[in-house]
């Protein structure tokens, strides 16, 4: 599963038959090929966080394949009455993407010093399901502000998943930058190295 800009839900099937095992820091073993799902908490078309996740997907090493879920606004408002089969199609697709991923990377803006409603709604769809319980999760952030939202998000994610990592966090100052400017910034060697290090550490965490 790798990101395809412009494709619905950015889904592509991928074979995992040739996964190798490599040794990471601290002699940790993890699958060489990792399938990450990067979730943008913004419903805005030109979202900074969405552009950041697409840029990360574009420059990730071959062993870190990243799909970007940027359709948070397509999910219906959560209701327990809708949790019966068949689930609404957008919810079913979202849950399938989470199920087949090795780990989640979440990036979100802050709205009124809180988690955006669309992202909280997406998490609400997962609360009573098994897919999120043991799923490794890490955060990225594209702004110098948003600490109140990040604190709330950390509380929520550590509640719904036993494998949310407080230690894995990558932050950039990207506010008011266009997607093209973000791509240019991430092309810099120092930025690429930061991203490589973050993804490598996350892959090791997922393989534990």
């Amino acid at each position: 599963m790798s990101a395809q800009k412009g494709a619905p839900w950015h889904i592509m099937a991928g074979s995992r038959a040739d996964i190798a095992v490599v040794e990471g820091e601290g002699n940790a073993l993890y699958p060489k090929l990792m399938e990450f799902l990067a979730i943008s908490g913004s419903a805005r078309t030109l979202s900074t966080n969405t552009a950041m996740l697409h840029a990360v997907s574009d420059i990730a090493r071959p062993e870190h394949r990243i799909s970007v879920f940027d359709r948070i606004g397509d999910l219906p408002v959560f209701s327990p009455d809708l949790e019966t089969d068949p689930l609404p199609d957008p919810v079913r697709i979202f849950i399938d993407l989470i199920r087949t991923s090795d780990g989640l990377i979440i990036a979100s803006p802050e709205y009124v010093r809180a988690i955006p409603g669309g992202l909280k709604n997406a998490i609400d769809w997962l609360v009573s399901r098994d897919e999120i319980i043991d799923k490794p999760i890490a955060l990225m952030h594209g702004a110098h502000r948003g600490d109140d939202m990040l604190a709330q998000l950390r509380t929520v994610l550590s509640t719904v998943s036993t494998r949310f990592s407080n230690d894995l966090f990558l932050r950039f100052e990207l506010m008011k930058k266009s997607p093209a400017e973000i791509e240019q910034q991430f092309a810099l060697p120092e930025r690429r190295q930061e991203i490589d290090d973050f993804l490598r550490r996350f892959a090791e965490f997922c393989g534990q």
Side-chain angles (χ1 to χ4, degrees):
M1 180 169 56
S2 60
Q4 274 189 308
K5 293 183 181 178
W9 303 97
H10 303 292
I11 303 171
M12 177 186 292
S15 171
R16 303 187 61 182
D18 58 349
I19 293 178
V21 174
V22 298
E23 186 172 310
E25 290 184 349
N27 297 320
L29 298 179
Y30 64 96
K32 184 175 182 181
L33 175 59
M34 283 283 177
E35 305 273 6
F36 298 142
L37 180 65
I39 300 173
S40 173
S42 176
R44 180 170 170 259
T45 302
L46 296 178
S47 161
T48 298
N49 284 282
T50 300
M52 175 181 68
L53 293 176
H54 278 297
V56 169
S57 174
D58 288 343
I59 67 172
R61 293 180 179 275
E63 63 265 30
H64 302 141
R65 299 205 293 195
I66 301 174
S67 295
V68 177
F69 180 84
D70 56 6
R71 304 292 292 275
I72 208 89
D74 288 358
L75 301 177
V77 175
F78 170 75
S79 169
D81 293 339
L82 299 177
E83 286 189 293
T84 57
D85 288 329
L87 291 168
D89 281 347
V91 176
R92 177 184 54 79
I93 293 170
F94 178 56
I95 289 172
D96 285 346
L97 287 170
I98 290 174
R99 180 187 297 112
T100 57
S101 70
D102 293 303
L104 308 179
I105 299 170
I106 299 177
S108 175
E110 178 183 80
Y111 289 167
V112 200
R113 302 177 65 180
I115 302 171
L119 178 57
K120 182 57 168 63
N121 181 58
I123 295 170
D124 287 345
W125 275 108
L126 301 169
V127 168
S128 63
R129 303 189 61 88
D130 295 335
E131 289 83 3
I132 196 69
I133 293 175
D134 296 317
K135 188 66 62 174
I137 307 174
L139 296 180
M140 291 185 64
H141 196 58
H144 67 281
R145 64 189 187 191
D147 289 343
D148 289 337
M149 181 279 298
L150 288 168
Q152 292 178 16
L153 189 54
R154 288 183 174 108
T155 298
V156 169
L157 293 175
S158 62
T159 301
V160 300
S161 173
T162 62
R163 301 209 60 203
F164 170 68
S165 174
N166 265 311
D167 298 327
L168 288 167
F169 180 58
L170 187 60
R171 188 175 205 159
F172 297 102
E173 173 46 72
L174 302 172
M175 285 185 65
K176 298 184 179 179
K177 293 186 182 297
S178 69
E181 289 172 326
I182 292 172
E183 287 184 7
Q184 290 174 357
Q185 181 165 333
F186 279 17
L188 298 173
E190 59 270 27
R191 295 286 86 81
R192 294 181 71 100
Q193 187 61 55
E194 288 180 80
I195 293 165
D196 282 346
D197 290 345
F198 172 78
L199 295 177
R200 175 185 51 76
R201 290 175 60 213
F202 187 46
E204 292 175 9
F205 176 71
C206 292
Q208 291 174 359

